[in-house]
Amino acid sequence: MIQSSFDLVIIGGGPIGIACGLAAKKNGLNYLILEKGTIVNSLFNYPANMQFFSSSEKLEIENIPFISKESKPKRDEALEYFRRIVTSNKLNINLFERVNRVTKKGHLFSIVSNKATYSSLNIVLATGFYDIPNKLIVPGEELAKVSHYYDNPHYYARQKLAVIGASNSAIDAALECYRKGAEVSLIIRGAEVGKRVKYWVRPDVINRIEEGSIKAYYNAQVKEIKEERIIIEQFSKTISIENDFVLALTGYRPNFKFLKELGVQLSMDEKRLPKYNQNTMESNVTGLYLAGVICGGLETHKWFIENSRVHAKLIVKAILNKKKTHK
């Protein structure tokens, strides 16, 4: 049984999904945001002490001021900002409602969630990529001591911790856990700390490595994870490291399976870029729009809040133009 019919259903209640909702409301569209978790669920699951690379004004949506204590806000400030936007603007958002299936018949999409079924002329996918980690695909990855997400350094105090990765998330975790008393081994596939690491953090971790506070293994690959050890390979040499916990912070990927089920075409190269019109954000499926980081495929460093905020206005403009055309 179809509960409601809309001009636009937005799947994903993160910053860009919220921006799409604001633009839809401002322009008189009948819209609904469906979010499987809480408001800005991905940000909620970021590390407790995370600080954004971008300044607060670059994270603002719809010109709503974002006031933070420092120029670069922290996670809790972002949660407060987006929660207040949703609340004060009375956005039509259903939380803790997961979309299970989307089908299209004629001009209408049918969106089936764990709670109801909806009908819509248009859909926006603003689902991000934080739900699906890039797996190591090694023996022992399924052990309870292995996590692909990091929250609080206190948990790893006085423990032998292996952090795998060279991006912001891995470096932040390594530094924070070291400063809370963890014995940190940093395992990096490349020859150095990632170039995209926050400019005020990169010198810090390099100094900690050079002084020996954090042990770094460059040009290294994880081969196996055991209950009390982690086995890596470096320059064709096998190294066994004593280990209590593993943080495999090797990045995340969009839900390509969901995109394929919807009929969105993906490039055949390693980037797996979805097909869409850059002027309207409409995919090769008529009425299905993409917004935010999902547009970058496996290039998850390409789109951020600050450069994808504009997607909301492009999408709503395209939908309004269609409505005028069909009148």
Side-chain angles (χ1 to χ4, degrees):
M1 178 180 176
I2 295 177
Q3 239 184 33
S4 303
S5 185
F6 297 92
D7 293 320
L8 174 63
V9 168
I10 301 156
I11 303 175
I16 304 306
I18 290 171
C20 290
L22 283 170
K25 181 175 182 176
K26 182 178 179 181
N27 287 278
L29 293 177
N30 183 21
Y31 73 96
L32 171 67
I33 304 171
L34 295 174
E35 167 55 53
K36 70 180 183 308
T38 188
I39 299 168
V40 291
N41 193 66
S42 291
L43 297 189
F44 177 76
N45 286 298
Y46 279 1
N49 301 319
M50 192 208 79
Q51 187 170 29
F52 284 85
F53 186 90
S54 302
S55 58
S56 57
E57 67 269 15
K58 290 184 178 180
L59 300 175
E60 293 174 354
I61 54 177
E62 282 293 319
N63 296 316
I64 299 170
F66 184 172
I67 309 300
S68 59
K69 292 179 181 178
E70 302 175 52
S71 62
K72 296 177 180 10
K74 295 194 174 180
R75 164 189 170 270
D76 284 353
E77 291 175 311
L79 294 179
E80 179 72 7
Y81 174 70
F82 291 111
R83 182 185 62 77
R84 284 180 174 271
I85 287 177
V86 168
T87 303
S88 62
N89 288 278
K90 296 184 171 67
L91 291 185
N92 189 22
I93 181 169
N94 290 359
L95 301 173
F96 299 98
E97 184 166 354
R98 178 182 292 274
V99 173
N100 294 326
R101 186 172 71 256
V102 176
T103 56
K104 189 180 184 187
K105 188 174 182 180
H107 298 296
L108 283 175
F109 290 93
S110 175
I111 303 99
V112 180
S113 78
N114 61 319
K115 296 182 179 179
T117 299
Y118 307 95
S119 175
S120 182
L121 287 167
N122 302 281
I123 287 180
V124 171
L125 287 185
T127 50
F129 61 87
Y130 197 59
D131 291 333
I132 305 175
N134 290 322
K135 295 292 187 71
L136 299 171
I137 318 295
V138 298
E141 190 171 10
E142 74 287 350
L143 291 174
K145 73 174 192 172
V146 180
S147 176
H148 293 276
Y149 297 91
Y150 164 69
D151 179 28
N152 196 300
H154 175 84
Y155 187 78
Y156 302 103
R158 298 181 63 83
Q159 300 298 296
K160 293 179 174 62
L161 173 67
V163 179
I164 304 167
S167 64
N168 277 299
S169 56
I171 300 307
D172 282 346
L175 285 168
E176 288 185 3
C177 292
Y178 151 69
R179 292 196 163 104
K180 295 299 181 183
E183 184 181 321
V184 178
S185 297
L186 188 56
I187 300 167
I188 296 175
R189 184 172 57 184
E192 60 181 340
V193 173
K195 292 289 190 182
R196 295 191 187 95
V197 170
K198 290 172 281 196
Y199 65 84
W200 67 93
V201 172
R202 197 170 188 271
D204 186 2
V205 73
I206 290 173
N207 286 336
R208 302 293 77 72
I209 291 167
E210 289 179 351
E211 73 184 15
S213 298
I214 293 175
K215 174 66 175 177
Y217 296 87
Y218 296 113
N219 299 296
Q221 297 273 5
V222 177
K223 291 300 178 181
E224 185 177 0
I225 301 169
K226 299 183 177 183
E227 286 288 357
E228 296 180 352
R229 310 192 78 79
I230 182 169
I231 311 301
I232 68 171
E233 186 177 282
Q234 184 185 48
F235 303 117
S236 300
K237 180 182 177 183
T238 299
I239 301 171
S240 177
I241 306 168
E242 290 186 27
N243 175 257
D244 298 309
F245 290 99
V246 175
L247 285 173
L249 305 178
T250 50
Y252 308 91
R253 60 177 58 215
N255 190 337
F256 292 123
K257 182 174 180 290
F258 190 43
L259 286 170
K260 287 180 182 178
E261 288 173 352
L262 290 170
V264 177
Q265 295 175 11
L266 303 174
S267 65
M268 299 304 292
D269 58 18
E270 70 281 357
K271 296 178 181 178
R272 307 298 284 151
L273 297 170
K275 185 175 182 179
Y276 65 93
N277 183 324
Q278 294 184 16
N279 296 316
T280 65
M281 306 309 295
E282 188 172 24
S283 73
N284 60 282
V285 179
T286 302
L288 196 162
Y289 299 83
L290 306 179
V293 296
I294 197 171
C295 300
L298 286 175
E299 289 188 305
T300 53
H301 61 277
K302 185 174 181 178
W303 293 104
F304 304 94
I305 298 171
E306 64 184 75
N307 66 352
S308 58
R309 297 173 297 183
V310 67
H311 294 174
K313 292 181 180 179
L314 293 175
I315 291 167
V316 170
K317 181 181 178 181
I319 292 172
L320 291 173
N321 286 339
K322 279 187 182 180
K323 290 188 77 172
K324 290 178 184 177
T325 303
H326 290 102
K327 276 187 177 180

